[in-house]
Amino acid sequence: NVVMPFIRYDTDDFGAILSRPCQCGRTLPLLQFTGRDVGIILLPDGTQIHNFNLLGIFFQMRRAELIRRFQIIQESEDLIIILLIPTKEFPSVEITSLRRDLASILGPEVNLEIRIVDEITERGSKKKLFISRLPQATLSRYRFHDHNTKKPE
């Protein structure tokens, strides 16, 4: 469709433009889906954890009522920062409980910083719960392809 572009926003999908023509005879470029960036947390020992494993900790029934907003940032393989906007009812002991629950998944080699903040800055209109700041070369070794993790070589 010439009026409505096929891809209008960042979907975190990876693809390639193929040089061969489509079998249907269309002359438009042929696209091939090759994978998706699904938010992998990389640990120092090489273990890969999907960010949903951590997100679930924040959506537990009682805790979800105490947290207005949060964001998980992986600064390095051994540093995770949690930005947290709590409700007024958020008890200080909940930080200890949250840290324990996160550490049970991340392990002892990951440093965990929980920062209470008033605001979480967004880039664009998309609210991101997980941000990885690992170098692109490191991340590209761990992309999901066809629902299987590609192991680094």
Side-chain angles (χ1 to χ4, degrees), residues 1-2 10 13 19 22 24 27 31 36 41-42 44 55 61 69 75 77 83 88 104 111 117 119 125 137 148-149 152:
N1 185 341
V2 179
D10 183 5
D13 288 345
S19 59
C22 182
C24 73
T27 59
L31 302 175
R36 173 168 284 166
I41 296 169
L42 304 177
L55 295 177
M61 191 176 304
R69 202 131 170 255
E75 289 288 344
E77 290 181 25
L83 301 180
K88 291 178 184 173
S104 72
N111 296 308
V117 297
E119 183 180 11
S125 62
N148 296 314
T149 7

CSV table of all heavy atoms in Angstrom, one decimal, residues 1-2 10 13 19 22 24 27 31 36 41-42 44 55 61 69 75 77 83 88 104 111 117 119 125 137 148-149 152:
chain,number,residue,atom,x,y,z
A,1,ASN,N,0.8,-1.2,0.0
A,1,ASN,CA,0.0,0.0,0.0
A,1,ASN,C,0.9,1.2,0.0
A,1,ASN,O,1.7,1.4,0.9
A,1,ASN,CB,-0.9,-0.1,1.2
A,1,ASN,CG,-1.9,1.1,1.3
A,1,ASN,OD1,-1.8,2.1,0.6
A,1,ASN,ND2,-2.9,0.9,2.1
A,2,VAL,N,0.7,2.1,-0.9
A,2,VAL,CA,1.6,3.3,-1.1
A,2,VAL,C,1.2,4.3,0.0
A,2,VAL,O,2.0,5.1,0.4
A,2,VAL,CB,1.4,3.9,-2.5
A,2,VAL,CG1,2.3,5.1,-2.7
A,2,VAL,CG2,1.8,2.8,-3.5
A,10,ASP,N,8.9,1.2,15.8
A,10,ASP,CA,9.9,0.2,16.1
A,10,ASP,C,9.3,-1.0,16.9
A,10,ASP,O,8.7,-0.8,17.9
A,10,ASP,CB,10.9,0.9,17.1
A,10,ASP,CG,12.1,0.0,17.4
A,10,ASP,OD1,12.1,-1.2,16.9
A,10,ASP,OD2,12.9,0.4,18.3
A,13,ASP,N,11.6,-6.1,16.0
A,13,ASP,CA,11.8,-7.2,15.1
A,13,ASP,C,13.1,-7.0,14.3
A,13,ASP,O,13.5,-5.9,14.0
A,13,ASP,CB,10.7,-7.3,14.1
A,13,ASP,CG,9.4,-7.8,14.8
A,13,ASP,OD1,9.5,-8.3,15.9
A,13,ASP,OD2,8.3,-7.7,14.1
A,19,SER,N,17.3,-10.2,-1.9
A,19,SER,CA,17.5,-9.7,-3.3
A,19,SER,C,16.7,-10.4,-4.3
A,19,SER,O,16.5,-9.9,-5.4
A,19,SER,CB,19.0,-9.9,-3.6
A,19,SER,OG,19.4,-11.3,-3.5
A,22,CYS,N,9.7,-11.7,-5.3
A,22,CYS,CA,8.6,-12.5,-4.8
A,22,CYS,C,8.0,-13.4,-5.8
A,22,CYS,O,8.0,-13.0,-7.0
A,22,CYS,CB,7.5,-11.5,-4.2
A,22,CYS,SG,6.2,-12.4,-3.5
A,24,CYS,N,5.1,-14.1,-6.3
A,24,CYS,CA,3.8,-13.7,-6.8
A,24,CYS,C,3.9,-12.7,-7.9
A,24,CYS,O,3.0,-12.3,-8.6
A,24,CYS,CB,3.0,-13.0,-5.6
A,24,CYS,SG,3.6,-11.4,-5.1
A,27,THR,N,6.9,-6.4,-7.6
A,27,THR,CA,8.3,-5.9,-7.8
A,27,THR,C,8.8,-5.1,-6.5
A,27,THR,O,9.9,-4.6,-6.6
A,27,THR,CB,8.3,-4.9,-9.0
A,27,THR,OG1,7.4,-3.9,-8.7
A,27,THR,CG2,7.9,-5.6,-10.3
A,31,LEU,N,10.7,-8.9,2.2
A,31,LEU,CA,11.3,-8.8,3.5
A,31,LEU,C,11.2,-10.2,4.1
A,31,LEU,O,10.3,-11.0,3.9
A,31,LEU,CB,10.4,-7.9,4.4
A,31,LEU,CG,10.3,-6.4,3.9
A,31,LEU,CD1,9.4,-5.7,4.8
A,31,LEU,CD2,11.7,-5.8,3.9
A,36,ARG,N,13.6,-11.5,16.9
A,36,ARG,CA,13.0,-10.4,17.7
A,36,ARG,C,13.9,-10.2,19.0
A,36,ARG,O,14.4,-11.1,19.6
A,36,ARG,CB,11.6,-10.8,18.2
A,36,ARG,CG,11.0,-9.8,19.1
A,36,ARG,CD,9.5,-10.1,19.3
A,36,ARG,NE,8.9,-9.5,18.1
A,36,ARG,CZ,7.6,-9.8,17.7
A,36,ARG,NH1,6.9,-10.6,18.5
A,36,ARG,NH2,7.1,-9.3,16.7
A,41,ILE,N,18.2,-10.6,29.8
A,41,ILE,CA,19.1,-10.2,30.8
A,41,ILE,C,20.3,-11.2,30.8
A,41,ILE,O,20.1,-12.4,30.9
A,41,ILE,CB,18.4,-10.2,32.2
A,41,ILE,CG1,17.3,-9.1,32.2
A,41,ILE,CG2,19.5,-9.9,33.3
A,41,ILE,CD1,16.4,-9.2,33.3
A,42,LEU,N,21.5,-10.7,30.6
A,42,LEU,CA,22.7,-11.5,30.6
A,42,LEU,C,23.4,-11.4,31.9
A,42,LEU,O,23.7,-10.4,32.4
A,42,LEU,CB,23.6,-11.0,29.5
A,42,LEU,CG,23.0,-11.0,28.1
A,42,LEU,CD1,24.0,-10.4,27.1
A,42,LEU,CD2,22.5,-12.3,27.6
A,44,PRO,N,26.6,-12.6,34.6
A,44,PRO,CA,28.1,-12.8,34.4
A,44,PRO,C,28.6,-14.2,34.0
A,44,PRO,O,29.5,-14.3,33.3
A,44,PRO,CB,28.6,-12.4,35.8
A,44,PRO,CG,27.6,-11.5,36.4
A,44,PRO,CD,26.3,-12.0,35.9
A,55,LEU,N,10.0,-9.1,35.7
A,55,LEU,CA,8.7,-8.3,35.7
A,55,LEU,C,7.7,-8.9,36.6
A,55,LEU,O,6.9,-8.2,37.3
A,55,LEU,CB,8.2,-8.1,34.3
A,55,LEU,CG,9.1,-7.4,33.3
A,55,LEU,CD1,8.5,-7.4,31.9
A,55,LEU,CD2,9.4,-6.0,33.8
A,61,MET,N,0.4,-9.7,43.5
A,61,MET,CA,-0.8,-9.0,43.9
A,61,MET,C,-0.5,-7.9,44.9
A,61,MET,O,-0.8,-6.8,44.7
A,61,MET,CB,-1.8,-10.0,44.5
A,61,MET,CG,-3.1,-9.4,44.7
A,61,MET,SD,-4.4,-10.6,45.2
A,61,MET,CE,-4.3,-11.8,44.0
A,69,ARG,N,5.0,2.7,39.6
A,69,ARG,CA,5.8,2.5,38.4
A,69,ARG,C,7.1,2.0,38.7
A,69,ARG,O,7.7,2.3,39.7
A,69,ARG,CB,5.8,3.9,37.7
A,69,ARG,CG,6.1,3.8,36.3
A,69,ARG,CD,5.2,4.5,35.4
A,69,ARG,NE,5.9,4.3,34.1
A,69,ARG,CZ,6.6,5.2,33.5
A,69,ARG,NH1,6.7,6.4,34.0
A,69,ARG,NH2,7.3,4.9,32.4
A,75,GLU,N,22.8,-2.2,33.3
A,75,GLU,CA,23.9,-1.3,33.0
A,75,GLU,C,25.1,-2.2,32.5
A,75,GLU,O,25.8,-1.7,31.6
A,75,GLU,CB,24.3,-0.5,34.2
A,75,GLU,CG,23.4,0.6,34.6
A,75,GLU,CD,23.4,1.8,33.6
A,75,GLU,OE1,24.3,1.9,32.8
A,75,GLU,OE2,22.4,2.5,33.6
A,77,GLU,N,26.7,-6.6,32.8
A,77,GLU,CA,26.3,-8.0,33.1
A,77,GLU,C,26.2,-8.2,34.6
A,77,GLU,O,25.5,-9.2,35.1
A,77,GLU,CB,27.2,-9.0,32.4
A,77,GLU,CG,27.0,-9.1,30.9
A,77,GLU,CD,27.9,-10.1,30.2
A,77,GLU,OE1,28.3,-11.1,30.9
A,77,GLU,OE2,28.2,-9.9,29.0
A,83,LEU,N,14.5,1.4,39.0
A,83,LEU,CA,13.9,2.7,39.3
A,83,LEU,C,12.5,2.4,39.8
A,83,LEU,O,11.8,1.7,39.2
A,83,LEU,CB,13.9,3.6,38.1
A,83,LEU,CG,15.3,3.9,37.4
A,83,LEU,CD1,15.1,4.8,36.2
A,83,LEU,CD2,16.2,4.5,38.4
A,88,LYS,N,2.3,5.9,48.5
A,88,LYS,CA,2.5,6.5,49.8
A,88,LYS,C,2.4,5.3,50.9
A,88,LYS,O,3.0,5.4,51.9
A,88,LYS,CB,1.5,7.5,50.2
A,88,LYS,CG,1.6,8.8,49.4
A,88,LYS,CD,0.6,9.8,49.7
A,88,LYS,CE,0.8,11.0,48.8
A,88,LYS,NZ,-0.3,12.0,48.9
A,104,SER,N,17.1,-13.7,44.2
A,104,SER,CA,16.9,-15.2,44.0
A,104,SER,C,16.9,-15.6,42.6
A,104,SER,O,17.2,-16.7,42.2
A,104,SER,CB,15.6,-15.6,44.7
A,104,SER,OG,14.5,-15.1,44.0
A,111,ASN,N,25.1,-7.2,41.1
A,111,ASN,CA,24.9,-6.1,42.0
A,111,ASN,C,23.5,-5.5,41.7
A,111,ASN,O,23.2,-5.2,40.5
A,111,ASN,CB,26.0,-5.0,41.9
A,111,ASN,CG,27.3,-5.5,42.3
A,111,ASN,OD1,27.4,-6.1,43.4
A,111,ASN,ND2,28.3,-5.4,41.5
A,117,VAL,N,12.6,6.9,43.1
A,117,VAL,CA,12.6,8.2,42.3
A,117,VAL,C,11.2,8.8,42.2
A,117,VAL,O,10.2,8.1,42.5
A,117,VAL,CB,13.1,7.9,40.8
A,117,VAL,CG1,14.6,7.4,40.9
A,117,VAL,CG2,12.2,6.9,40.1
A,119,GLU,N,10.2,10.3,39.3
A,119,GLU,CA,9.8,10.3,37.9
A,119,GLU,C,10.7,9.3,37.1
A,119,GLU,O,11.9,9.2,37.5
A,119,GLU,CB,9.9,11.7,37.3
A,119,GLU,CG,9.5,11.8,35.9
A,119,GLU,CD,9.6,13.3,35.4
A,119,GLU,OE1,10.2,14.1,36.1
A,119,GLU,OE2,9.1,13.5,34.3
A,125,SER,N,7.1,7.8,23.0
A,125,SER,CA,5.8,7.5,23.6
A,125,SER,C,5.7,6.2,24.2
A,125,SER,O,4.7,5.8,24.9
A,125,SER,CB,4.7,7.7,22.6
A,125,SER,OG,4.8,6.8,21.6
A,137,ALA,N,27.3,-5.3,20.4
A,137,ALA,CA,28.0,-6.5,20.0
A,137,ALA,C,27.7,-7.6,21.0
A,137,ALA,O,27.6,-8.8,20.6
A,137,ALA,CB,29.5,-6.2,20.0
A,148,ASN,N,14.2,-19.8,19.8
A,148,ASN,CA,15.3,-20.5,20.5
A,148,ASN,C,16.5,-19.5,20.7
A,148,ASN,O,16.7,-18.7,19.8
A,148,ASN,CB,15.9,-21.6,19.6
A,148,ASN,CG,14.9,-22.7,19.5
A,148,ASN,OD1,14.2,-23.1,20.5
A,148,ASN,ND2,14.7,-23.2,18.3
A,149,THR,N,17.1,-19.5,21.8
A,149,THR,CA,18.2,-18.6,22.0
A,149,THR,C,19.4,-19.1,21.2
A,149,THR,O,19.8,-20.2,21.2
A,149,THR,CB,18.7,-18.6,23.5
A,149,THR,OG1,18.0,-19.5,24.2
A,149,THR,CG2,18.5,-17.2,24.1
A,152,PRO,N,26.2,-17.9,22.1
A,152,PRO,CA,27.4,-17.2,21.6
A,152,PRO,C,28.5,-18.2,21.1
A,152,PRO,O,28.5,-19.3,21.6
A,152,PRO,CB,27.9,-16.4,22.8
A,152,PRO,CG,27.4,-17.1,24.0
A,152,PRO,CD,26.1,-17.7,23.6
